[in-house]
């Protein structure tokens, strides 16, 4: 019995030492606020687990760290034109000639992409990236277009330019009055000759010079009886530049429509819902894309593709499509009204409509004018003696 008592006392002493060591390993906050959760070892093994269960001590559960799901990034949109293979063009394919500045270069790429699978039509460009209608010296656009039309395969001319005329326009000058002159008298504009300094942007002299330069190009195209389309400028980010672009658009539209040509308005399609300048917007497929370049003037590829969409729609209208017979019988001639395949100017009506004077077109012969009065205005021609419509008796 004494031996058993000594063994029990030894076991009790060992247990007391273990419990004392466990209590010393705990912080005061852990010993008071329970449940007691001793820290586990680095390898996860706890030698005091049986003893802890005996005294009701629970182990601390380790929080399971879940990996955050990787962020799904949208596919990067291409900044340039997509790769495509154009269909072989017919030997006698009609040419769409694009004339203008740097914007005309981008428009050419967009039209090439749209018309890539149409073998009966191809696109060529006649561009000067830093040139406009005016300048010192100005580019001879009329002569260059006439030289290209002499080849005989051009079916329509598209012009897009004018941004350089605004961005490089001279600032309004306010010269000091000369000695002895009346300060209250209005300043006289300097006399300018051809190729001299460009008039002030928006002035009457500037409008007249711009109208004459554009009219010269239209006259060359209409002399060859080809459709002419002029594309307006888009809104710009800077308010001063946007105001200048609107001045250019006013002259482009009035001159083109007065000469029975087509004006393609792209101003509103590049505005947001609040009618303000927008960098992003829907492309031709309805996807939200970046349409404008960083300079606040030009376009990205998606933007030029959108401009080309509206231009191609007008081309198909005036040309009647791009089939084998697309370019036959639908020349932009005011003496013909084609009831299918294209539209006529809104000023033309079948009866009683006002006559629109084309100051750039040559005077048609008398027979053509008589046919136009009969077909458009409904006026019968003059009776001819001996014809069935001559109701007067022969004076003989």
């Amino acid at each position: 019995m004494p031996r058993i008592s000594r063994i029990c006392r030894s076991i009790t002493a060992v247990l007391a030492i273990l419990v004392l060591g466990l209590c010393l390993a705990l912080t005061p906050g852990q010993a008071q606020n329970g449940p007691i959760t001793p820290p586990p070892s680095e390898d996860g093994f706890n030698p005091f687990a049986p003893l802890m269960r005996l005294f009701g001590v629970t182990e601390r559960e380790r929080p399971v760290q879940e990996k955050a799901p990787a962020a799904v990034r949208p596919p990067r949109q291409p900044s340039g034109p997509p790769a495509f293979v154009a269909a072989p063009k017919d030997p006698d394919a009609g040419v769409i000639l694009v004339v203008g500045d740097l914007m005309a270069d981008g428009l050419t790429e967009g039209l090439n992409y749209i018309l890539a699978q149409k073998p009966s039509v191809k696109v060529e460009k006649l561009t000067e990236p830093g040139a406009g209608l005016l300048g010192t010296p100005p580019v001879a656009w009329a002569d260059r277009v006439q030289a290209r039309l002499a080849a005989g395969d051009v079916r329509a001319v598209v012009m897009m330019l004018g941004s350089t005329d605004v961005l490089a326009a001279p600032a309004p000058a306010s010269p000091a009055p000369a000695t002895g002159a009346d300060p209250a008298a209005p300043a006289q504009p300097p006399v300018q000759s051809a190729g001299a300094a460009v008039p002030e942007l928006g002035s009457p002299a500037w409008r007249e010079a711009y109208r004459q330069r554009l009219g010269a190009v239209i006259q060359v195209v209409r002399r060859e009886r080809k459709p002419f389309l002029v594309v307006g400028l888009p809104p710009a980010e800077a308010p001063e530049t946007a105001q200048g672009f609107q001045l250019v658009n006013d002259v482009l539209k009035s001159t083109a429509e007065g000469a029975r040509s087509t004006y393609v308005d792209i101003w509103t399609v590049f505005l947001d819902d609040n009618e303000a300048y927008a960098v992003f917007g829907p492309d031709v497929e309805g996807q939200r894309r970046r349409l404008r370049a960083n300079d606040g003037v030009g376009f990205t590829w998606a933007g030029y593709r959108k401009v080309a969409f509206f231009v191609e729609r007008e081309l198909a209208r005036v040309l009647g499509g791009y089939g084998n017979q697309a370019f036959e019988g639908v020349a932009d001639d005011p003496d013909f009204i084609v009831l299918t395949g294209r539209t006529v100017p809104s000023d033309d009506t079948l009866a009683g409509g006002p006559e629109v004077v084309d100051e750039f077109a040559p005077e048609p012969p008398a027979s053509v004018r008589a046919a136009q009065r009969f077909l458009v205005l409904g006026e019968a021609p003059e009776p001819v003696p001996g014809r069935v419509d001559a109701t007067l008796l022969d004076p003989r």
Side-chain angles (χ1 to χ4, degrees):
M1 292 297 294
R3 184 177 179 182
I4 294 176
S5 299
R6 287 195 299 271
I7 294 175
C8 292
R9 287 196 297 271
S10 300
I11 294 175
T12 302
V14 172
L15 294 175
I17 294 173
L18 292 176
V19 173
L20 179 61
L22 179 62
C23 293
L24 293 176
L26 302 176
T27 61
Q30 291 175 329
Q32 295 178 4
N33 298 332
I36 301 174
T37 56
S41 60
E42 295 182 358
D43 57 359
F45 175 72
N46 190 356
F48 298 104
L51 186 61
M52 291 163 50
R53 287 194 296 270
L54 179 62
F55 287 93
V57 179
T58 59
E59 293 189 27
R60 179 172 52 191
E61 296 182 358
R62 299 181 182 181
V64 179
Q65 296 181 356
E66 298 182 357
K67 290 185 178 181
V72 179
R73 296 182 178 179
R76 187 175 182 180
Q77 300 174 353
S79 58
F84 64 94
V85 178
K89 302 299 181 179
D90 297 338
D92 57 346
V95 174
I96 305 298
L97 182 63
V98 182
V99 182
D101 53 13
L102 185 61
M103 288 189 177
D105 279 335
L107 174 59
T108 304
E109 294 184 359
L111 289 175
N112 272 320
Y113 181 77
I114 295 176
L115 303 176
Q117 303 304 319
K118 298 185 182 298
S120 62
V121 61
K122 56 184 177 180
V123 184
E124 294 183 7
K125 66 179 181 178
L126 183 61
T127 58
E128 289 286 345
L133 277 177
L134 304 179
T136 51
V139 178
W141 289 114
D143 296 340
R144 298 185 62 180
V145 172
Q146 185 175 11
R148 181 60 187 87
L149 291 176
D153 56 350
V154 176
R155 296 298 182 263
V157 178
V158 180
M159 173 174 279
M160 186 177 187
L161 80 173
S163 61
T164 305
D165 294 319
V166 176
L167 299 176
S174 55
T179 304
D182 185 5
Q188 297 296 327
V191 178
Q192 298 181 6
S193 59
V198 178
E200 180 183 341
L201 179 66
S203 63
W206 178 88
R207 289 178 177 271
E208 180 61 22
Y210 217 80
R211 189 193 69 84
Q212 290 181 0
R213 296 283 296 176
L214 179 60
V217 180
I218 297 177
Q219 186 175 7
V220 167
V221 178
R222 290 188 58 81
R223 188 180 301 124
E224 300 295 329
R225 297 191 180 276
K226 306 298 181 182
F228 182 83
L229 289 77
V230 57
V231 186
L233 296 178
E237 185 175 16
E240 298 82 3
T241 305
Q243 185 178 4
F245 283 7
Q246 287 180 327
L247 292 174
V248 171
N249 287 345
D250 290 341
V251 180
L252 294 179
K253 182 178 180 179
S254 61
T255 306
E257 292 180 350
R260 292 180 181 269
S261 299
T262 303
Y263 174 74
V264 184
D265 189 357
I266 62 171
W267 186 274
T268 57
V269 299
F270 288 100
L271 298 177
D272 59 11
D273 296 336
N274 298 322
E275 298 185 355
Y277 173 86
V279 178
F280 293 85
D283 62 0
V284 295
E285 298 177 353
Q287 302 295 325
R288 179 175 173 80
R289 297 288 184 92
R290 183 184 181 95
L291 303 178
R292 307 304 301 271
N294 294 330
D295 59 1
V297 175
F299 297 95
T300 62
W301 157 248
Y304 280 119
R305 171 71 175 84
K306 190 170 182 177
V307 175
F309 170 81
F310 289 96
V311 173
E312 191 274 337
R313 185 177 64 177
E314 296 298 326
L315 281 172
R317 183 175 299 174
V318 299
L319 294 175
Y322 306 105
N324 293 332
Q325 307 298 325
F327 303 117
E328 297 183 6
V330 290
D332 188 23
D333 193 327
D335 302 326
F336 294 92
I337 296 180
V338 182
L339 300 182
T340 59
R342 56 164 286 197
T343 61
V344 296
S346 58
D347 296 329
D348 285 338
T349 55
L350 293 180
E355 182 180 1
V356 180
V357 179
D358 183 3
E359 58 181 323
F360 301 114
E363 182 69 18
S367 60
V368 174
R369 293 198 302 270
Q372 185 180 16
R373 288 196 302 269
F374 176 73
L375 295 175
V376 178
L377 304 178
E379 298 179 0
E382 295 292 334
V384 178
R387 200 169 59 186
V388 68
D389 60 344
T391 59
L392 298 179
L393 296 177
D394 192 344
R396 293 179 301 177

